Amino acid sequence: MLKKIILGGLLIVFSGILIVGAVNRTAARGGETSSTQHEQTTQAVEQRGGRNGAGGNVEASVTEWQTVIGTVSSVDASYLEITLSDGRSVEVGGRAWQLAVAQNFTANVGDSVTVHGFDENGVFQAGQIDNQSNGQSLSLRDTTGRPLWAGRGRS
């Protein structure tokens, strides 16, 4: 009987220590975000197609603009896929493609397109799309790589 009481008491004390430690850790971290966690979140957001443009200061790290030429292999309301002459594929999707669709940019399977963009964290980011088949051209980013759908940002 005494053994059960002592074991029960130790279980309660141990559980209490764990709960108090968890509460203290949560309170200490409240509002703080490590820079690594912030960078990972930013990369994930950009790979999904950017932010919603409601405020915020969206920056791109453009090291070198590239031009790719290919043929539209797939297109729908959520993305445009372009197959390049070397067999690689480039996808324009997320907010970039949403902006293009909102600006009445059209492309059909088989259209010849040129995309000017840059590589950011291993993902090609489109800055301008030119459709040689119908003569349309649309800028998606400014010369610094900042998305045009991101609004004016903070001064």
Side-chain angles (χ1 to χ4, degrees):
M1 177 74 168
L2 183 60
K3 188 176 176 181
K4 288 183 180 181
I5 292 173
I6 292 174
L7 198 55
L10 286 174
L11 183 61
I12 291 172
V13 169
F14 183 69
S15 297
I17 289 171
L18 287 177
I19 291 171
V20 169
V23 169
N24 283 338
R25 183 167 190 254
T26 302
R29 294 189 75 192
E32 293 180 17
T33 303
S34 72
S35 61
T36 303
Q37 185 180 11
H38 175 70
E39 289 170 11
Q40 290 171 346
T41 303
T42 301
Q43 288 174 1
V45 167
E46 287 302 314
Q47 288 176 356
R48 285 192 311 266
R51 299 180 186 274
N52 63 8
N57 189 12
V58 178
E59 296 179 16
S61 56
V62 178
T63 55
E64 182 180 334
W65 285 91
Q66 305 168 19
T67 300
V68 296
I69 300 170
T71 304
V72 175
S73 55
S74 180
V75 61
D76 66 19
S78 60
Y79 76 98
L80 170 75
E81 184 177 9
I82 303 156
T83 302
L84 308 180
S85 60
D86 63 4
R88 291 183 300 140
S89 290
V90 172
E91 186 176 301
V92 179
R95 291 299 305 253
W97 186 242
Q98 288 175 5
L99 175 64
V101 170
Q103 297 294 323
N104 296 317
F105 183 86
T106 58
N108 297 306
V109 173
D111 284 358
S112 177
V113 294
T114 301
V115 182
H116 308 280
F118 56 93
D119 184 58
E120 182 176 60
N121 301 319
V123 177
F124 185 78
Q125 302 293 331
Q128 180 176 332
I129 306 174
D130 301 317
N131 187 337
Q132 283 79 34
S133 299
N134 64 17
Q136 286 185 304
S137 180
L138 180 66
S139 292
L140 302 169
R141 296 173 179 266
D142 66 15
T143 56
T144 65
R146 188 174 195 290
L148 296 180
W149 63 87
R152 296 176 55 182
R154 297 179 186 159
S155 299

